[in-house]
Amino acid sequence: MSKFWSKVVHGLTPYIPGEQPKLNNLIKLNTNENPYGPSPKVIAAIQEFADDNLRLYPDPNSEALKKSIADYFNVKANQVFVGNGSDEVLAIAFQALLKHHAPILFPDITYSFYPVYCKLYEIDFKTIPLNDSFEIALNDYLMPNGGVIFPNPNAPTGIPLTLKKIEAFLDKNIDSVVIVDEAYVDFGTESVISLIEKYKNLLVTHSFSKSRSLAGLRLGYAIGHPDLIEALIRVKDSFNSYPIDRLGLIAGIESFKDDSYFKNTCHKVIKTKLNFIEKLKALNFSVLPSGANFVFAQHTSLDGKIIVSKLRDYGIVVRRFDNPIRISSYIRFTIGSDEEMQVLLETLKLILST
């Protein structure tokens, strides 16, 4: 600690990102990265545009990228906001849309950046427990609030909500913003972007990091009513006028152009996931339903902490969460390539047999 710190810093417990180990011959299944690289067309475009123009500032409004996103989802460009990764988009949304007198609501087991944002911006919040099946029970959120945010599918559980359930909640929660964080939606969950025109209080956030294989470039976006988007832009332009660099802009645009590559890689991940789930169950794992590119599971007899440690000894890194205690026995397995998942399964068999 330092006497030079601002008051707010003393109370912060920063978000801890997934480990990025520097180990040789590593099978890295801990941070939900896509096992398949970005579209070759994206890489070619980056190479082409990595030229002398990098000395110039990018478009502060990212108009071309916004248009690509708007065209893809059949919305207007003024309904789209882009940022430096979906984490920045969410951070701006917390400041722009969720700082009110009433507390905001989100699940007790969810993306752990949410309470960090609240403490940073001094936003009151209340966590709503998942039900006994680890599902988000939206009826429990029907109380006065300053806003509601949840991932769909949820993280780290991976359990999705149906569009019908979310729409039923939106019909009842009309006086505050509802943010649906769809970072993993492309791996088996139905998006609620189709509801944007009907509900002016709905904001949907997406990431390029997972399904579009661009975690290394940091791109994210939000779609919602123009009034919500204007609030995000006001905060963004009071913080960083140029969040997206020139190469990020071109990569995002090309990613949306190559839709067949995007859909094919998502399909491959989903197929691998379904196969992996069945084989995990055969090894006596209890597996939660997953609409994401990861699986949340616990073994019926061997503690998750032991399994994670032993996997690391074999050069396989997965993720476990100590808090809350309710999920401490669970392991989150990112879905890798078929070859990586086969090595993981063979290693699990070895661990469980000793």
Side-chain angles (χ1 to χ4, degrees):
M1 292 188 179
S2 168
K3 68 178 182 180
F4 302 112
W5 286 9
S6 298
K7 179 182 176 182
V8 68
V9 177
H10 290 273
L12 293 179
T13 302
Y15 171 76
I16 301 174
E19 182 187 6
Q20 298 292 338
K22 295 176 175 60
L23 303 173
N24 294 325
N25 302 315
L26 180 72
I27 294 180
K28 187 173 180 295
L29 303 172
N30 67 322
T31 51
N32 302 334
E33 292 146 324
N34 198 313
Y36 308 105
S39 161
K41 294 180 181 178
V42 169
I43 296 174
I46 290 173
Q47 292 170 337
E48 179 183 351
F49 282 85
D51 57 23
D52 185 61
N53 283 325
L54 292 180
R55 66 188 172 82
L56 303 174
Y57 283 110
D59 173 11
N61 298 316
S62 305
E63 295 294 349
L65 178 55
K66 287 181 182 178
K67 185 178 186 307
S68 294
I69 296 169
D71 289 347
Y72 188 86
F73 290 105
N74 195 29
V75 297
K76 298 180 178 64
N78 67 350
Q79 294 176 287
V80 179
F81 176 84
V82 297
N84 192 275
S86 63
D87 284 338
E88 183 185 73
V89 174
L90 288 167
I92 290 172
F94 268 72
Q95 181 78 303
L97 301 172
L98 298 180
K99 194 169 184 179
H100 302 288
H101 294 298
I104 70 167
L105 310 177
F106 50 81
D108 64 334
I109 300 173
T110 195
Y111 187 28
S112 55
F113 228 140
Y114 297 165
V116 173
Y117 292 139
C118 287
K119 291 177 182 177
L120 175 62
Y121 297 133
E122 299 180 322
I123 298 172
D124 289 335
F125 68 94
K126 179 178 181 179
T127 58
I128 308 298
L130 300 182
N131 66 20
D132 292 339
S133 299
F134 288 104
E135 299 165 331
I136 296 173
L138 288 177
N139 282 339
D140 295 343
Y141 291 70
L142 294 174
M143 64 180 75
N145 65 76
V148 175
I149 181 169
F150 56 87
N152 193 41
N154 194 19
T157 62
I159 299 177
L161 284 166
T162 64
L163 184 145
K164 183 178 179 180
K165 286 184 178 180
I166 296 174
E167 183 166 19
F169 175 69
L170 287 164
D171 281 332
K172 298 172 183 175
N173 191 88
I174 60 175
D175 294 323
S176 68
V177 169
V178 177
I179 300 177
V180 183
D181 178 356
E182 294 190 339
Y184 302 101
V185 74
D186 297 313
F187 298 106
T189 299
E190 188 175 9
S191 174
V192 297
I193 288 177
S194 62
L195 302 179
I196 289 293
E197 295 296 336
K198 184 176 179 181
Y199 299 97
K200 295 183 179 180
N201 63 329
L202 173 62
L203 187 78
V204 183
T205 63
H206 275 206
S207 171
F208 282 80
S209 298
K210 318 300 182 185
S211 57
R212 295 186 181 274
S213 307
L214 289 172
L217 272 184
R218 314 309 304 126
L219 285 169
Y221 58 96
I223 299 178
H225 189 275
D227 289 349
L228 302 184
I229 300 303
E230 182 182 350
L232 301 182
I233 292 171
R234 287 186 176 210
V235 172
K236 186 267 288 186
D237 286 343
S238 301
F239 172 71
N240 181 5
S241 298
Y242 300 96
I244 311 299
D245 61 56
R246 282 179 168 268
L247 298 184
L249 288 173
I250 194 64
I253 292 166
E254 292 299 319
S255 172
F256 275 100
K257 286 182 182 179
D258 198 353
D259 195 45
S260 61
Y261 181 89
F262 161 72
K263 289 178 177 175
N264 182 51
T265 53
C266 288
H267 176 74
K268 286 164 68 175
V269 170
I270 293 169
K271 184 178 178 180
T272 301
K273 174 181 69 175
L274 295 176
N275 179 61
F276 178 64
I277 288 172
E278 291 308 308
K279 292 184 176 179
L280 263 190
K281 290 178 178 178
L283 293 176
N284 293 319
F285 278 87
S286 173
V287 185
L288 298 185
S290 173
N293 67 332
F294 58 83
V295 169
F296 207 53
Q298 67 173 345
H299 195 261
T300 54
S301 58
L302 189 59
D303 184 77
K305 188 173 184 178
I306 295 173
I307 295 174
V308 169
S309 177
K310 290 188 174 183
L311 282 173
R312 192 181 183 91
D313 292 339
Y314 286 95
I316 302 173
V317 181
V318 294
R319 194 165 187 187
R320 190 184 67 87
F321 300 84
D322 281 317
N323 292 307
I325 190 67
R326 194 175 167 198
I327 59 170
S328 61
S329 63
Y330 280 80
I331 303 169
R332 193 186 69 186
F333 299 98
T334 297
I335 301 302
S337 66
D338 287 332
E339 294 76 16
E340 288 174 326
M341 303 314 287
Q342 186 59 40
V343 173
L344 170 59
L345 287 164
E346 293 300 325
T347 307
L348 285 171
K349 289 177 186 178
L350 184 62
I351 291 170
L352 295 170
S353 66
T354 58

